[in-house]
Amino acid sequence: MPLLIDDTLIYISSSFPKLSNLSSFLDDISTYVSGRNQHHRWKMEFWAPFLIQSCSSPADIISTVEFNHSGELLATGDKGGRVVIFQQEQENKIQSHSRGEYNVYSTFQSHEPEFDYLKSLEIEEKINKIRWLPQKNAAQFLLSTNDKTIKLWKISERDKRPEGYNLKEEDGRYRDPTTVTTLRVPVFRPMDLMVEASPRRIFANAHTYHINSISINSDYETYLSADDLRINLWHLEITDRSFNIVDIKPANMEELTEVITAAEFHPNSCNTFVYSSSKGTIRLCDMRASALCDRHSKLFEEPEDPSNRSFFSEIISSISDVKFSHSGRYMMTRDYLSVKIWDLNMENRPVETYQVHEYLRSKLCSLYENDCIFDKFECCWNGSDSVVMTGSYNNFFRMFDRNTKRDITLEASRENNKPRTVLKPRKVCASGKRKKDEISVDSLDFNKKILHTAWHPKENIIAVATTNNLYIFQDKVN
């Protein structure tokens, strides 16, 4: 028997405990719903309107979002080459209802537009990826990349300044040494906190094609960078050379049938990495086997369902993102219509498949005409690997619980920007008569899309980027 309680549809089976009266039945069901769906109840605790300008200029469009390893800092990159870092409010971290409050910590220009004179090509400043390094001292380090150049940035704090120079005035002007008659011992004086971002390394001139991925190795000394046809291995201390570990470029470019779409190191095994392709395959490589990993150790590929074969099959099967679980046992991939979970010990098919927006399958023709079919959606795990999240159109984002097999659709909207507003589940009506609170698939706005999402590594706090707005949500705490 289906029963709708608090926007949650519950199916009562014969195995559910028998209850003496309707009142206690409803009370027990409500308790059951709140207990099983606690992570599905999200409250907008803080809305960060990431508007560098009030107008929506193309340079303000957010192109990547990434939490650091502790979750205290959240970095975003945009098409204008800027990196904005948000910091979790320290005094609110212990308050359950205010854990999701982040304020701007630092803003700096990471990349500038360049021009390749040999190829007569403009290199745009857009930040493609940001990856944090684990913190080892008081400073933080992150890697940021555009299409061609990767930079290692140091973010440090300064709250003291030296005073009492012997050969300099306080304003920096040098003094005449002949006027110095006494020796002063410089001292440090407190000052307003200043956050400095300085480039420590610049890794350039190693990619012919556009960089789509960077991933830091678990040894924290090396990292990989991937473009359409090659993957390079770098040492964080060496900028003038890298090692090519994957090269799928054919001798004749007319024979090119697939490109690399994403790559990532295993979180625990420093010799293992995976890369995905536009054909929907994922290759796992072991760097111990060969210096050039053109021959993969494992190939993950799901046979195509003949009933779903169409002109768009190859396009929608292209993998836009690949992420290892924190445990390293599973791997998640995102194609245009679905999210798939793979067990590294089983190559022939995924262990879990979640449909993100299957209702768009009938709209593929129009999506092809407006180029939306080529959008690259990212995906992410929660801290315990029990829930996965990815974006969709109309500013919707989807969550899938791997344990209960439940899913939910939520919307990141300006209408929900009041503090502690509980997000209501949204539903899309694919065909037939539309029910109340449902949205017709024909009324979806394909210009509003969530491509970039991130999940706090330790808490139920998520960051969702919609064009030039950054939304931060936290789970509802009673």
Side-chain angles (χ1 to χ4, degrees):
M1 168 177 88
L3 183 65
L4 184 65
I5 295 181
D6 199 13
D7 293 327
T8 303
L9 186 63
I10 293 295
Y11 287 88
I12 308 303
S13 67
S14 58
S15 62
F16 200 87
K18 293 184 178 180
L19 302 165
S20 57
N21 56 62
L22 181 60
S23 177
S24 61
F25 175 79
L26 294 177
D27 289 342
D28 282 6
I29 287 293
S30 297
T31 303
Y32 172 80
V33 170
S34 61
R36 289 290 294 273
N37 290 337
Q38 185 174 3
H39 72 275
H40 287 318
R41 297 293 303 265
W42 292 86
K43 176 173 56 177
M44 188 173 206
E45 193 63 35
F46 175 69
W47 176 58
F50 186 49
L51 294 170
I52 297 177
Q53 295 177 345
S54 58
C55 59
S56 299
S57 69
D60 296 337
I61 296 176
I62 298 174
S63 55
T64 184
V65 181
E66 187 80 7
F67 280 103
N68 73 338
H69 290 74
S70 67
E72 182 183 345
L73 299 177
L74 171 67
T76 65
D78 62 26
K79 293 191 71 172
R82 292 167 296 228
V83 172
V84 180
I85 301 175
F86 298 87
Q87 183 182 43
Q88 191 174 15
E89 285 296 297
Q90 298 295 323
E91 60 270 19
N92 292 329
K93 288 175 69 175
I94 59 175
Q95 301 178 18
S96 59
H97 66 278
S98 301
R99 302 188 327 274
E101 292 195 7
Y102 283 74
N103 287 328
V104 175
Y105 178 65
S106 177
T107 303
F108 60 93
Q109 188 73 31
S110 175
H111 288 72
E112 300 281 357
E114 301 176 44
F115 190 81
D116 188 334
Y117 293 97
L118 294 177
K119 298 182 179 180
S120 296
L121 291 175
E122 290 184 3
I123 303 172
E124 63 177 349
E125 63 272 33
K126 185 189 80 165
I127 307 297
N128 292 339
K129 294 291 178 183
I130 291 175
R131 291 292 180 265
W132 290 92
L133 274 70
Q135 187 175 10
K136 296 181 179 179
N137 50 41
Q140 297 276 358
F141 290 86
L142 63 81
L143 286 171
S144 64
T145 182
N146 65 351
D147 287 340
K148 299 289 185 180
T149 305
I150 306 162
K151 294 183 180 182
L152 175 65
W153 289 88
K154 177 183 178 181
I155 292 87
S156 56
E157 296 181 352
R158 195 154 59 111
D159 59 359
K160 293 181 176 64
R161 69 166 187 263
E163 288 184 0
Y165 292 105
N166 288 285
L167 298 178
K168 279 198 305 186
E169 301 289 353
E170 298 304 330
D171 59 4
R173 291 181 294 110
Y174 284 96
R175 299 172 60 185
D176 184 356
T178 58
T179 63
V180 178
T181 58
T182 58
L183 183 63
R184 293 187 296 177
V185 178
V187 295
F188 281 99
R189 302 288 187 194
M191 60 175 284
D192 292 337
L193 179 66
M194 183 170 64
V195 181
E196 298 177 320
S198 55
R200 306 303 298 226
R201 306 277 189 277
I202 298 178
F203 308 88
N205 305 320
H207 284 278
T208 306
Y209 307 97
H210 292 177
I211 298 172
N212 55 47
S213 300
I214 53 176
S215 178
I216 298 170
N217 200 346
S218 59
D219 62 12
Y220 305 136
E221 292 185 352
T222 56
Y223 74 94
L224 65 77
S225 58
D227 63 25
D228 294 337
L229 297 178
R230 296 188 178 98
I231 300 177
N232 293 335
L233 179 68
W234 299 83
H235 194 284
L236 286 165
E237 299 293 331
I238 302 172
T239 61
D240 59 353
R241 64 182 181 275
S242 62
F243 297 95
N244 180 229
I245 54 176
V246 172
D247 189 347
I248 66 169
K249 182 180 179 181
N252 182 3
M253 286 295 284
E254 293 181 358
E255 299 173 359
L256 182 67
T257 58
E258 63 179 334
V259 295
I260 298 170
T261 57
E264 185 171 72
F265 265 121
H266 191 278
N268 306 319
S269 179
C270 63
N271 53 277
T272 306
F273 69 94
V274 296
Y275 68 93
S276 58
S277 82
S278 56
K279 278 192 169 182
T281 61
I282 310 102
R283 293 173 172 84
L284 185 142
C285 301
D286 190 337
M287 292 191 293
R288 297 173 300 183
S290 174
L292 188 62
C293 301
D294 285 348
R295 298 184 62 180
H296 51 266
S297 300
K298 291 186 177 184
L299 176 66
F300 299 86
E301 184 176 14
E302 183 179 26
E304 184 181 4
D305 184 357
S307 63
N308 289 331
R309 179 69 186 174
S310 70
F311 171 78
F312 307 104
S313 295
E314 188 169 330
I315 300 175
I316 64 176
S317 66
S318 176
I319 295 173
S320 57
D321 196 17
V322 57
K323 293 280 175 63
F324 278 109
S325 63
H326 296 87
S327 66
R329 171 68 186 274
Y330 299 98
M331 174 178 61
M332 172 171 52
T333 60
R334 173 72 155 95
D335 57 41
Y336 189 68
L337 294 179
S338 65
V339 168
K340 296 175 182 177
I341 310 294
W342 301 79
D343 189 322
L344 295 189
N345 297 323
M346 189 169 73
E347 305 169 48
N348 59 340
R349 60 183 174 85
V351 292
E352 301 162 31
T353 300
Y354 302 105
Q355 300 300 331
V356 179
H357 38 219
E358 182 66 18
Y359 47 79
L360 294 182
R361 189 175 290 275
S362 61
K363 304 288 183 182
L364 293 179
C365 186
S366 58
L367 292 167
Y368 178 78
E369 291 175 354
N370 61 19
D371 286 342
C372 284
I373 200 170
F374 301 106
D375 286 335
K376 299 184 182 300
F377 293 93
E378 296 177 2
C379 52
C380 62
W381 302 83
N382 72 336
S384 62
D385 298 334
S386 61
V387 184
V388 297
M389 177 175 64
T390 190
S392 182
Y393 293 104
N394 208 65
N395 282 354
F396 289 167
F397 59 97
R398 303 266 283 143
M399 290 181 179
F400 304 93
D401 189 317
R402 300 181 59 212
N403 297 325
T404 64
K405 304 304 178 185
R406 300 177 65 86
D407 64 85
I408 193 169
T409 302
L410 300 174
E411 182 181 7
S413 167
R414 287 175 179 265
E415 299 173 0
N416 298 324
N417 64 356
K418 295 180 181 179
R420 289 182 284 281
T421 299
V422 178
L423 296 181
K424 294 183 178 179
R426 307 306 299 267
K427 295 180 181 179
V428 177
C429 176
S431 60
K433 188 176 181 180
R434 184 167 62 90
K435 299 179 182 178
K436 185 181 179 182
D437 295 332
E438 284 189 342
I439 300 174
S440 170
V441 66
D442 295 320
S443 63
L444 295 177
D445 189 344
F446 294 106
N447 292 318
K448 295 180 179 179
K449 61 191 80 171
I450 294 178
L451 302 178
H452 313 288
T453 59
W455 202 307
H456 192 291
K458 299 177 182 177
E459 300 182 50
N460 275 344
I461 298 174
I462 60 172
V464 176
T466 65
T467 56
N468 59 342
N469 291 332
L470 177 68
Y471 296 84
I472 298 178
F473 304 95
Q474 73 170 66
D475 61 339
K476 183 179 184 299
V477 179
N478 294 325

